[in-house]
Amino acid sequence: MTPELQRWVQEAQATGTLADLPDCHFIDGAAVASADGGTMETLDPGTGRMFARFAAGQAADVDAAVQAANRALKGPWRDMAPAQRGRVLHRVADLIRANAARLAVVETLDAGKRLVEALGDVAGAANCFDYYAGACDKHQGDSLPLGPDYLAYTLHEPVGVTAHIIPWNYPLSTAARGLAPALAAGCTVVAKPAEQTPLTALMLAELCLQAGVPAGVCNVVTGTGREAGAALARHPGIHHITFTGSVNTGIDVMRSAAPNITRLVLELGGKSPLLVLADADLDQAADNVMGAIFENAGQICSAGSRLLVARSVHEQMVARVAARAQALSLGHGLRDPGMGPLSSEAHLNKVAGYVERARARGVAVRTGGNIQPDPHTGLGWFYEPTLLDNLAPTDEAVQEEIFGPVLCVQVFDDLSEAVALANGTSFGLVAGIFTKDLSAAHRLARDIDAGQVYLNEYFAGGISVPFGGNKRSGFGREKGMEALRSYCKTKSVVARL
């Protein structure tokens, strides 16, 4: 731990908070209180206690931010040379790294995640800005061969003002994942972070301004989804919405966007299968399962929440995962335990409800299955790493997104059954496959309906690999060069010579 990181951790542990946290919206380059003066509390999931207050935005605050973004759309950012825009975004990345320690501690307090995970998220956010900084002057149109008497070409123009409705599980990294390509394309943005985790998006907007992003180009309005989020989704001054969250809320966003014909990218839920074939390296697979389902306490849309395992190695695989899960310690994220808390008391009770109903149906709970407060303090919203074994394809725990540290095990006898089980939910976000038979792996990758498939390493890839889902997991793609296309509109020009 660096001296700077240690200083912020010690302050947070001693006081339960940090000094000088942002508590206003960020609109037109300035901190702005809510029009009605309203504020809200944000809670530390590791203690269940309030550690900061922030502005509770309403429709008037959203309107002010959207107006600022539309004014800035006509300003220097869109007309800046792409290479110069890239230099500004590189400076954003540098500033994220320079403030990494404070950003990570704030993310841990706000989201509950382990400090090591928060540091990884901060590093990923910086890498995201670097990637799109480098892409600014490489996102080019095409020349179309219509014959000697015509000149035809395409242009990529910024779509306009983009709205980003950000989830609570990865506040900073999801904000960066949307803001960086939108800014690279020349758009202006209005972000609405989740009411549970508003702080690092505000800090990111301040860093963008420091780096040279003009005032009004990057705006953040905090508040509830019901008030601020809904007002943003239906605002006629928004030209594109990127939403990450639940299926039901995504449906509401689509309905709100429809009257304005606002473009959408939706990254929704998942119930992703992780397949382990009989020839797989079981220890390697078990290690990957642990990260796939217990990182961030399972609160990941692309979590490997279903373990599909060949019958001949079922018991060996389950025993390996159960032993590893039992060894995980629980505790406040600043202590870097094996696993941190869930996001809220309501979410904790929701996760516990799924397990209790499964237990009542006679499902075998191989490990975990209990609410367990922080053993050091008796506080916080913690749930034991849990493994539900040998579930039927129609079981509620298989079909619904639990969004917690609960692994659901299903057993298959051949590859056709494995594909049927993998595709047997309404989701299609990601899938993982562990096998030494690469022919079988690529056949499975072809036949499984998912936006991404990982072979022999779960969460493989990075910012350059497109990410998004099929079916009820949403549509559109983030990350990679695909994301730049999401924030552009294509114009065709044809000239008769």
Side-chain angles (χ1 to χ4, degrees):
M1 186 180 293
T2 66
E4 183 185 15
L5 180 59
Q6 187 173 26
R7 175 168 65 89
W8 293 120
V9 169
Q10 288 175 343
E11 179 182 339
Q13 289 176 330
T15 67
T17 187
L18 295 181
D20 301 321
L21 293 173
D23 58 0
C24 292
H25 310 298
F26 193 83
I27 299 174
D28 209 6
V32 180
S34 291
D36 66 357
T39 64
M40 299 175 61
E41 296 180 345
T42 184
L43 308 179
D44 175 358
T47 63
R49 294 173 174 169
M50 186 270 286
F51 76 96
R53 298 192 69 86
F54 63 97
Q58 307 291 323
D61 306 299
V62 169
D63 185 61
V66 174
Q67 288 190 42
N70 272 282
R71 289 192 300 271
L73 193 62
K74 303 175 179 68
W77 184 248
R78 174 175 177 158
D79 296 331
M80 188 180 292
Q84 175 60 26
R85 205 156 56 229
R87 285 190 283 273
V88 174
L89 295 185
H90 274 307
R91 287 198 292 272
V92 176
D94 291 342
L95 285 170
I96 291 172
R97 294 188 181 100
N99 291 273
R102 181 174 169 83
L103 283 165
V105 171
V106 172
E107 197 82 326
T108 293
L109 290 174
D110 220 6
K113 59 183 61 195
R114 299 187 302 145
L115 186 60
V116 66
E117 294 173 349
L119 287 166
D121 291 354
V122 174
N127 292 341
C128 181
F129 274 90
D130 268 339
Y131 178 86
Y132 289 107
C136 284
D137 58 356
K138 301 171 186 66
H139 186 48
Q140 60 198 39
D142 295 313
S143 174
L144 310 175
L146 297 185
D149 295 327
Y150 292 90
L151 175 64
Y153 57 92
T154 61
L155 299 170
H156 295 304
E157 299 179 339
V159 69
V161 179
T162 64
H164 303 261
I165 301 177
I166 301 164
W168 48 259
N169 58 334
Y170 282 88
L172 180 62
S173 58
T174 307
R177 189 176 76 187
L179 269 60
L183 294 172
C187 297
T188 61
V189 304
V190 179
K192 208 296 286 183
E195 57 260 38
Q196 298 92 338
T197 53
L199 299 180
T200 50
L202 291 167
M203 296 168 73
L204 177 60
E206 293 173 353
L207 295 180
C208 287
L209 185 71
Q210 292 176 30
V213 176
V217 170
C218 182
N219 307 275
V220 177
V221 177
T222 56
T224 66
R226 186 181 299 275
E227 295 293 338
L232 185 59
R234 66 173 180 261
H235 200 290
I238 293 295
H239 308 112
H240 170 97
I241 300 170
T242 292
F243 170 81
T244 303
S246 71
V247 174
N248 289 337
T249 306
I251 292 170
D252 290 340
V253 169
M254 289 183 72
R255 289 194 180 110
S256 297
N260 298 314
I261 320 295
T262 306
R263 299 182 358 166
L264 290 165
V265 167
L266 297 180
E267 198 266 280
L268 307 178
K271 196 70 186 180
S272 299
L274 191 156
L275 285 68
V276 177
L277 276 57
D279 69 335
D281 181 326
L282 298 187
D283 286 318
Q284 177 199 32
D287 289 341
N288 274 266
V289 167
M290 294 297 291
I293 186 58
F294 299 129
E295 181 181 329
N296 202 30
Q299 300 168 124
I300 310 175
C301 56
S302 53
S305 54
R306 290 190 294 143
L307 173 60
L308 277 54
V309 60
R311 189 174 301 278
S312 62
V313 295
H314 163 244
E315 186 55 39
Q316 299 174 61
M317 188 65 194
V318 168
R320 280 170 166 80
V321 175
R324 286 165 168 80
Q326 289 164 6
L328 284 180
S329 61
L330 301 179
H332 196 285
L334 292 177
R335 294 200 306 272
D336 260 342
M339 195 177 78
L342 296 183
S343 64
S344 69
E345 186 174 19
H347 188 55
L348 173 66
N349 291 332
K350 177 184 174 183
V351 170
Y354 274 104
V355 177
E356 288 308 309
R357 291 192 298 274
R359 187 180 274 122
R361 291 192 299 273
V363 171
V365 180
R366 294 292 295 265
T367 190
N370 300 291
I371 292 174
Q372 180 68 260
D374 184 341
H376 286 80
T377 65
L379 302 173
W381 303 311
F382 296 85
Y383 198 79
E384 294 175 340
T386 299
L387 194 155
L388 306 180
D389 195 14
N390 207 9
L391 289 157
T394 57
D395 194 277
E396 173 195 57
V398 166
Q399 292 297 320
E400 298 184 17
E401 186 178 37
I402 298 174
F403 216 66
V406 180
L407 180 64
C408 300
V409 180
Q410 298 176 265
V411 182
F412 63 83
D413 290 301
D414 53 41
L415 292 188
S416 61
E417 185 180 11
V419 170
L421 291 174
N423 291 335
T425 75
S426 61
F427 298 103
L429 190 52
V430 308
I433 301 166
F434 286 80
T435 178
K436 296 173 183 151
D437 184 345
L438 291 182
S439 178
H442 288 291
R443 286 199 301 272
L444 287 168
R446 176 196 65 197
D447 294 338
I448 292 173
D449 189 0
Q452 300 79 42
V453 180
Y454 305 125
L455 305 182
N456 292 322
E457 182 186 334
Y458 208 83
F459 295 137
I463 187 59
S464 62
V465 179
F467 179 80
N470 303 334
K471 301 192 287 188
R472 287 175 71 83
S473 291
F475 53 80
R477 293 295 181 264
E478 299 188 79
K479 299 169 53 176
M481 294 300 286
E482 287 286 330
L484 274 176
R485 287 185 271 276
S486 296
Y487 298 108
C488 292
K489 49 190 179 183
T490 300
K491 177 180 286 183
S492 301
V493 179
V494 181
R496 174 74 181 265
L497 302 182

